[in-house]
Amino acid sequence: MKEASRRFGRTAVPVEEARNRLLAHIVPTGVESVPLMSAFGRIAAERVVAADPVPHFRRSGMDGYAVRSLDTVGAASESPTALRVVGEVACGDVPEAALAPGTTMRIMTGAMLPEGADAVVVLEAVATGALPDGTPCVLLRRPAAPGANVSAVGSDVSAGSAVAVPGHRLGPGEIALLATAGRTMVNVYRKPRVALLATGSELLQPDSPLVPGKIRNSNAYMLAAMVASAGAEPIPLGTAQDDMGIIADALKEGLEICDLAITTGGVSVGDYDVVTDLLHEWDGKLLFNKVQMRPGSVTSAAMRGEKPLLALSGNPGACFAGFELFARPLLLALQGVPRPATRTFEARLAEAFPRTNAYPRYVRGRWWSEGGTLYCAAGGDDRSSRMLPGLGAECFVVIPPGGTGTAAGTLVKIVPLHM
């Protein structure tokens, strides 16, 4: 009787509330220093400011000729202005002299402008020639505006501005700015270690021959990939039969060496869904055991000490949804991301969705823009037991509850997926 009440007497909480209950217990992992070459995708744990402006000298944005814009006033096709060529500036060079009136220097992209110059005329816009004394010159057929093709000091990054801030992912742009700021090491949050346990006496290893009544364990491999995509380190615990003692021992061992544990299977209402019983009887705190969502309404979460356990459905579609809506934000929070809640947008449903449910349904699908309008579509018959709709999925299409189905053209929420 007690077991039946645990399975069927659950109180479903909204997705956002369940996520907030979980995130309220999360403290970021420790900090480690890593080489900049290895920092891509990591979450910064320090604020880094530029000590110097970028660029720290005026540099040319194009191959051409450095000029004084005043010397080019009045230049026209019918009466070109001739400027004496007095030198050349390559990248890395420091001009030997200032640019005198009536003169120019050949200059390369990224090279330092000589004093006196305030513009660069692109190579294609000049003709070369010679003055009466034989000195090389260029002929300009139109004036150059002050600052044309010139990167001013600090025009990219001003001294004292932040090039990395805590809680933000280090992408290629951040990596480049850190290198420009003189950093070869950067402090980042340690990657969370995630214990993964697949439960179910029916599970076989992927290389095992199929036998009646058994299935190959796909969820553990899917979860390992998703954990890695969230910047964390998956620690597989293997599989466990539907035995509460075996599962409890495996989880205790996993939580001793990891920052959190994720299980798949055993949380539904069947007689052998022993994870449900475990969450009521172990030495931990149950946060929720039912969520207002389909698939995956039986998604559950608990704390054991300071470490969370997220119990996901054994159905692949429900397991996928539970990870994206709860595990991914949790992993980002562990890495110091300040607001890791799932982002949503609105899009028009391109095709009618006939199925109805008492809870919002998170359907794997795709989204696109057409004529300035965002559209979305479900990826086929997305039932919780099916894996194929996850192939190439770009988002969840959130089908509202109730009604008699959702008509094409309805404005619905979409949740982008980040694989």
Side-chain angles (χ1 to χ4, degrees):
M1 189 68 181
K2 181 170 69 173
E3 288 77 8
S5 66
R6 290 171 180 172
R7 289 170 169 76
F8 297 100
R10 307 181 187 186
T11 300
V13 298
V15 168
E16 185 174 356
E17 180 183 338
R19 186 164 52 228
N20 288 339
R21 288 186 188 183
L22 186 57
L23 293 177
H25 291 81
I26 302 306
V27 177
T29 61
V31 175
E32 62 183 358
S33 184
V34 299
L36 191 58
M37 278 289 186
S38 305
F40 172 74
R42 301 296 294 273
I43 306 299
E46 65 171 322
R47 178 181 175 85
V48 180
V49 299
D52 304 297
V54 180
H56 65 279
F57 57 86
R58 295 182 310 139
R59 67 185 181 200
S60 175
M62 303 288 287
D63 288 335
Y65 288 87
V67 301
R68 292 159 41 97
S69 59
L70 282 175
D71 291 340
T72 70
V73 174
S77 297
E78 61 276 8
S79 56
T81 295
L83 297 176
R84 184 187 303 270
V85 180
V86 295
E88 179 179 284
V89 188
C91 286
D93 289 350
V94 176
E96 295 181 355
L99 198 62
T103 65
T104 184
M105 289 186 187
R106 177 82 167 88
I107 195 167
M108 312 306 164
T109 302
M112 184 177 181
L113 257 69
E115 288 297 322
D118 65 348
V120 172
V121 178
V122 297
L123 196 61
E124 300 86 344
V126 303
T128 57
L131 296 174
D133 63 2
T135 304
C137 73
V138 293
L139 301 173
L140 278 62
R141 293 184 170 83
R142 59 177 180 268
N149 302 312
V150 174
S151 296
V153 172
S155 57
D156 194 357
V157 180
S158 59
S161 61
V163 295
V165 293
H168 285 252
R169 180 178 179 272
L170 298 177
E174 289 80 5
I175 299 292
L177 287 171
L178 285 165
T180 300
R183 299 295 292 268
T184 59
M185 302 289 292
V186 60
N187 290 330
V188 297
Y189 286 101
R190 178 177 57 78
K191 287 187 175 184
R193 291 166 56 86
V194 185
L196 298 177
L197 180 66
T199 71
S201 301
E202 75 278 15
L203 297 178
L204 299 171
Q205 291 304 310
D207 57 355
S208 298
L210 286 176
V211 296
K214 303 284 188 179
I215 60 173
R216 293 188 176 120
N217 175 20
S218 61
N219 279 353
Y221 292 85
M222 176 180 72
L223 287 174
M226 297 174 85
V227 164
S229 76
E233 181 183 358
I235 307 296
L237 301 182
T239 61
Q241 296 182 350
D242 294 316
D243 181 287
M244 190 163 64
I246 293 175
I247 294 172
D249 289 343
L251 288 175
K252 288 178 181 178
E253 179 181 343
L255 286 172
E256 287 178 359
I257 61 173
C258 295
D259 299 289
L260 71 150
I262 298 177
T263 64
T264 174
V267 288
S268 191
V269 297
D271 292 344
Y272 295 94
D273 287 315
V274 296
V275 175
T276 299
D277 297 329
L278 172 64
L279 292 177
H280 284 83
E281 295 186 9
W282 76 332
D283 54 343
K285 175 184 178 182
L286 181 67
L287 300 180
F288 57 84
N289 61 5
K290 191 172 185 180
V291 185
Q292 294 175 10
M293 59 181 281
R294 295 287 189 192
S297 65
V298 293
T299 300
S300 305
M303 297 294 299
R304 186 171 187 267
E306 296 180 352
K307 295 184 178 181
L309 164 67
L310 186 61
L312 304 178
S313 170
N315 279 323
C319 181
F320 184 98
F323 183 95
E324 284 300 313
L325 296 176
F326 301 104
R328 188 176 296 277
L330 186 158
L331 291 172
L332 294 177
L334 281 168
Q335 295 172 84
V337 176
R339 289 177 296 278
T342 306
R343 294 186 306 158
T344 62
F345 300 94
E346 288 189 330
R348 297 283 177 186
L349 196 61
E351 302 170 357
F353 192 86
R355 297 179 65 191
T356 62
N357 203 276
Y359 299 142
R361 179 172 288 276
Y362 289 78
V363 184
R364 291 165 290 185
R366 58 191 181 92
W367 61 310
W368 67 95
S369 177
E370 186 177 317
T373 300
L374 285 181
Y375 290 94
C376 60
D381 185 14
D382 190 12
R383 297 177 186 272
S384 63
S385 60
R386 301 197 66 206
M387 290 182 282
L388 193 62
L391 193 64
E394 300 170 339
C395 67
F396 285 127
V397 178
V398 185
I399 303 298
T404 57
T406 308
T410 302
L411 197 63
V412 296
K413 289 195 303 182
I414 60 171
V415 180
L417 299 175
H418 302 280
M419 297 292 107

